[in-house]
Amino acid sequence: MNRGARTPTLEMVAAEAGVSRATVSRVVNGSTSVAPDIIAQVQAAVARLDYVPNRVARSLASRRADVIALIVPESASTVFADPFFAPVVRGVARVLGDTDYTLNLLIASESRPEKTRRYLQGGNVDGALVVSHHAEDHSYVGLGSALPMVFGGRPLIPGLTDRHHVDVDNVDSARRAVAHLLGLGRTRIGTIAGRQDMPAGLDRLVGWREAVAASGAGRASVDLVEFGDFTQDSGAEAAERMLAREPGLDALFVANDQMAAGAMRVLAAHGRRVPDDVAVIGFDDDTFAATLSPPLTTVRQPAMEFGEAMAEVLIALIAGEDVPRRTVIPTSLVRRGSA
Amino acid sequence: MNRGARTPTLEMVAAEAGVSRATVSRVVNGSTSVAPDIIAQVQAAVARLDYVPNRVARSLASRRADVIALIVPESASTVFADPFFAPVVRGVARVLGDTDYTLNLLIASESRPEKTRRYLQGGNVDGALVVSHHAEDHSYVGLGSALPMVFGGRPLIPGLTDRHHVDVDNVDSARRAVAHLLGLGRTRIGTIAGRQDMPAGLDRLVGWREAVAASGAGRASVDLVEFGDFTQDSGAEAAERMLAREPGLDALFVANDQMAAGAMRVLAAHGRRVPDDVAVIGFDDDTFAATLSPPLTTVRQPAMEFGEAMAEVLIALIAGEDVPRRTVIPTSLVRRGSA
DNA sequence: ATGAAAGCGCTAACAT
DNA sequence: ATGTTAGCGCTTTCAT
């Protein structure tokens, strides 16, 4: 490292301006109670020396970092490929842009979880946002309540279930999607459910099941479920199985758009017309949903608002405010051609 | 914030273990020169108190942060959508996984560049990686040599051109792509160039031009260039213009795969067969390149190795080693169906 | 409105 | 091998 030419300190600015360090600190941090001419003097000294405050020292003294981490699992390619992710980040960034907080995507090394934990607990951040945590991922339990945290989606992990989180009402959204299908006169309504180790997978299945059961359909209908893992291929495979089991299927609620796209491919391959023979509803309203043929009817969750809400809740939490454990972002059914 | 129940300090561990703070520090940092029984005592105390070192205090005292930042422009959605980005991050993460460094994607607020600058200069990080910087983006010039930095791609900005960077040899790669086209007997070889405010855009055009000129083709050929902005649509539009100008076109070198996909769409719409009528070569070897029809012949740049190299260069730089300013990652021409 | 002084929690000579 | 002693650069009471 280049020793020698060292960066100017607050003390040097104080000397240059002929005031105390405390005064420089006040000016730098925008305190009101400093005489105008002194402010000018200090600012001139700051400019002359090209002074930049040492944030680490400030953090140590003030016990604040002015940093918020958004924790991302190292299997980064998966997350970056998820069309839901980018807008969430943008939402967070937008909210933080108006504050003094800096946003920090922390890539969590999965092979060395203690590295991440130490970083989070070591005073580097004031709070953390957690997205796409799976049921197996217990890395955050240890953090206890040591650090303000907000989860994206209902935490599934024992010991974390009561933590603050932002979520969409997956159960109710699914219910409403099925209600729409019923309103269309459909009676054999199947579902392709997602991974059951994620809230989105679990809850959307529950909503479908509740709505189908409440419709007075027979026992058989409630068993019309095949599972996928949220990828397009898994959706295609699930649709194959579904069609083999229930050729008379007339509607399909799919737990996300990717799988819905796969399912529609298979439906077409089997000569089923959408929506005439089989009505299809997806979930997420991914960017490509409108470009499928027919355009996909789907449950839209506003990703950017989701990110904004997460950031707002976390900031309030850090400020010591009393925030409800659960913040629900409303979804809406986007009617397109497929149902 | 929850005042009161404060986190244990090194001093408390020292008291608990009945040794000095220095000894605790040694044990925590894995120093060799501590007696085995003392090590055990200290570790027991650490476990009992659930002690986690304060990294901020450590940073202040040691003048190291053990953090490396990867700076990402706030227009995050663009970057996350770029298929080149995820593997680069994975490469960086892979290298850092073997070290004590933590990786930190810093979302650079474009409206408040000083926030980013202060974070970087404030002691929070030991070094920074910069990807996808545009020519207008002068935010890093101010950093001068205050912080070890490695750029992905040749820095275009005056004052930054001599900084350390990792790059592919865009000029030579383009030259070789054109050579391949010439080897196929093509004589009317056009190019769709990318944004001219990015090295990839500039250099790939230069390579094409040099190769075409060297081939002894007439003046006219060297003018067979249309510009896009690296998006698929811009590639399609450029191809339209190209075809209008030069119906006799028999080959196309396109500065990236996205634009190549757009161009192939247009070529097909105009009844041109690829590669029979027009041979097409792209650049990047994006994931979708092999799934186009015909599969796209393209210049592959190994994104993960790119990331690995960036991380390795930065680590060496931080360690004070003498590293060449420029590290070149070799590319290869992937022959598929389009040329 | 300004300054003096006491830390924040840790590391790194230097001593022993 | 272990302890002692200064800081790292800043914030923050508490005086004045």
Side-chain angles (χ1 to χ4, degrees):
Chain A
M1 293 253 251
N2 65 335
R3 317 224 131 281
R6 284 266 304 296
T7 172
T9 69
L10 187 150
E11 176 148 28
M12 294 165 62
V13 176
E16 175 84 12
V19 297
S20 75
R21 296 185 313 179
T23 298
V24 176
S25 177
R26 290 187 185 105
V27 172
V28 167
N29 293 301
S31 166
T32 45
S33 44
V34 180
D37 51 327
I38 300 261
I39 293 185
Q41 271 176 54
V42 172
Q43 284 174 340
V46 165
R48 237 174 294 141
L49 300 182
D50 193 22
Y51 167 73
V52 176
N54 182 320
R55 293 177 39 111
V56 171
R58 180 206 299 240
S59 285
L60 182 59
S62 67
R63 303 160 148 294
R64 291 179 294 104
D66 284 343
V67 176
I68 280 177
L70 198 164
I71 307 172
V72 173
E74 189 174 8
S75 35
S77 37
T78 323
V79 156
F80 293 148
D82 184 344
F84 188 65
F85 183 69
V88 169
V89 173
R90 247 186 313 146
V92 173
R94 233 172 62 90
V95 170
L96 261 36
D98 300 333
T99 72
D100 282 330
Y101 288 110
T102 285
L103 177 59
N104 223 323
L105 280 199
L106 184 63
I107 309 292
S109 162
E110 275 150 12
S111 55
R112 299 177 57 188
E114 83 285 358
K115 233 162 88 170
T116 305
R117 181 167 168 247
R118 282 172 179 250
Y119 181 82
L120 292 173
Q121 261 190 103
N124 287 299
V125 307
D126 298 321
L129 264 18
V130 182
V131 292
S132 89
H133 53 294
H134 301 192
E136 326 88 61
D137 187 355
H138 287 224
S139 354
Y140 313 116
V141 177
L143 281 172
S145 52
L147 188 76
M149 289 202 291
V150 174
F151 290 80
R154 175 169 69 85
L156 236 37
I157 302 165
L160 247 43
T161 48
D162 64 333
R163 302 302 306 263
H164 288 264
H165 64 278
V166 170
D167 205 356
V168 296
D169 192 335
N170 283 303
V171 176
D172 189 57
S173 301
R175 248 191 247 121
R176 277 161 36 214
V178 174
H180 176 70
L181 260 11
L182 290 165
L184 257 30
R186 309 292 166 141
T187 56
R188 307 293 296 152
I189 304 174
T191 188
I192 297 179
R195 292 177 49 158
Q196 296 299 296
D197 59 349
M198 293 165 75
L202 281 169
D203 294 351
R204 292 169 193 178
L205 175 56
V206 168
W208 167 84
R209 188 164 279 153
E210 289 184 6
V212 169
S215 76
R219 280 287 300 142
S221 292
V222 184
D223 287 334
L224 239 43
V225 40
E226 291 291 342
F227 295 89
D229 62 6
F230 286 134
T231 62
Q232 181 167 337
D233 286 346
S234 77
E237 291 160 15
E240 289 280 6
R241 292 193 299 272
M242 177 72 74
L243 241 28
R245 261 178 56 184
E246 179 58 52
L249 188 81
D250 63 9
L252 207 42
F253 168 64
V254 189
N256 78 339
D257 288 353
Q258 305 260 8
M259 292 197 296
M264 294 207 343
R265 217 173 59 206
V266 167
L267 253 19
H270 284 259
R272 303 293 205 287
R273 288 165 310 162
V274 175
D276 310 70
D277 300 328
V278 182
V280 176
I281 297 188
F283 209 113
D284 286 353
D285 195 19
D286 280 349
T287 42
F288 65 82
T291 68
L292 294 174
S293 74
L296 185 66
T297 294
T298 185
V299 177
R300 167 173 150 71
Q301 28 181 5
M304 206 167 110
E305 292 173 30
F306 198 93
E308 289 174 354
M310 287 185 72
E312 280 158 5
V313 169
L314 184 57
I315 289 173
L317 223 46
I318 294 171
E321 293 169 26
D322 217 1
V323 195
R325 296 264 181 243
R326 178 174 173 81
T327 302
V328 175
I329 305 294
T331 61
S332 54
L333 186 69
V334 181
R335 288 213 51 188
R336 296 208 180 90
S338 69
Chain B
M1 290 253 250
N2 64 337
R3 318 224 130 280
R6 285 268 305 296
T7 172
T9 69
L10 188 150
E11 176 148 29
M12 294 165 63
V13 175
E16 175 84 11
V19 297
S20 75
R21 298 184 314 180
T23 298
V24 176
S25 177
R26 287 184 186 108
V27 172
V28 167
N29 292 300
S31 164
T32 46
S33 43
V34 180
D37 52 326
I38 299 259
I39 293 185
Q41 271 177 52
V42 172
Q43 283 173 340
V46 165
R48 236 173 295 142
L49 300 182
D50 194 22
Y51 167 73
V52 176
N54 183 319
R55 292 176 39 110
V56 170
R58 182 205 297 242
S59 284
L60 183 58
S62 66
R63 305 162 145 293
R64 291 179 294 106
D66 284 342
V67 176
I68 280 177
L70 197 163
I71 306 171
V72 174
E74 189 173 8
S75 36
S77 38
T78 324
V79 155
F80 293 148
D82 184 345
F84 188 65
F85 183 69
V88 169
V89 173
R90 248 185 312 145
V92 173
R94 232 171 63 90
V95 170
L96 261 36
D98 301 333
T99 71
D100 283 329
Y101 287 111
T102 285
L103 176 58
N104 224 324
L105 281 200
L106 185 64
I107 309 292
S109 163
E110 275 150 13
S111 55
R112 298 178 56 187
E114 82 286 358
K115 233 162 88 170
T116 304
R117 181 169 168 244
R118 282 172 180 250
Y119 181 83
L120 291 173
Q121 261 190 105
N124 287 299
V125 306
D126 297 321
L129 265 17
V130 182
V131 291
S132 88
H133 53 294
H134 301 191
E136 326 88 62
D137 187 355
H138 287 225
S139 354
Y140 313 115
V141 177
L143 281 171
S145 52
L147 188 75
M149 288 202 291
V150 174
F151 290 79
R154 176 170 69 84
L156 234 38
I157 303 165
L160 248 42
T161 48
D162 65 333
R163 303 300 306 262
H164 288 264
H165 64 277
V166 170
D167 205 356
V168 294
D169 192 333
N170 283 303
V171 176
D172 189 56
S173 301
R175 248 191 247 121
R176 277 161 35 215
V178 174
H180 176 70
L181 260 11
L182 289 165
L184 257 30
R186 309 292 165 140
T187 55
R188 307 294 296 154
I189 304 175
T191 189
I192 298 180
R195 291 175 51 155
Q196 297 299 296
D197 59 349
M198 294 165 75
L202 281 169
D203 294 351
R204 292 168 193 179
L205 175 56
V206 168
W208 167 83
R209 189 164 279 153
E210 289 184 8
V212 169
S215 76
R219 280 288 300 144
S221 293
V222 184
D223 287 334
L224 240 42
V225 40
E226 291 292 341
F227 295 90
D229 62 6
F230 285 134
T231 62
Q232 182 167 337
D233 286 346
S234 76
E237 290 160 15
E240 289 281 7
R241 292 193 299 271
M242 178 71 75
L243 242 27
R245 260 178 55 184
E246 178 57 53
L249 187 81
D250 62 10
L252 207 43
F253 168 64
V254 190
N256 78 339
D257 289 354
Q258 306 260 11
M259 292 197 295
M264 292 202 349
R265 219 173 56 207
V266 168
L267 252 18
H270 283 259
R272 301 295 204 286
R273 289 165 309 161
V274 175
D276 310 70
D277 300 328
V278 182
V280 176
I281 297 188
F283 209 112
D284 285 353
D285 195 21
D286 280 350
T287 42
F288 65 82
T291 69
L292 294 174
S293 74
L296 185 65
T297 294
T298 185
V299 177
R300 168 174 150 69
Q301 29 180 5
M304 204 167 112
E305 292 173 31
F306 198 93
E308 289 174 354
M310 287 185 73
E312 280 159 5
V313 169
L314 184 57
I315 289 173
L317 222 46
I318 294 171
E321 292 169 26
D322 215 1
V323 194
R325 295 264 180 243
R326 179 175 173 81
T327 302
V328 176
I329 305 293
T331 61
S332 54
L333 185 71
V334 181
R335 289 214 50 189
R336 296 207 180 91
S338 70

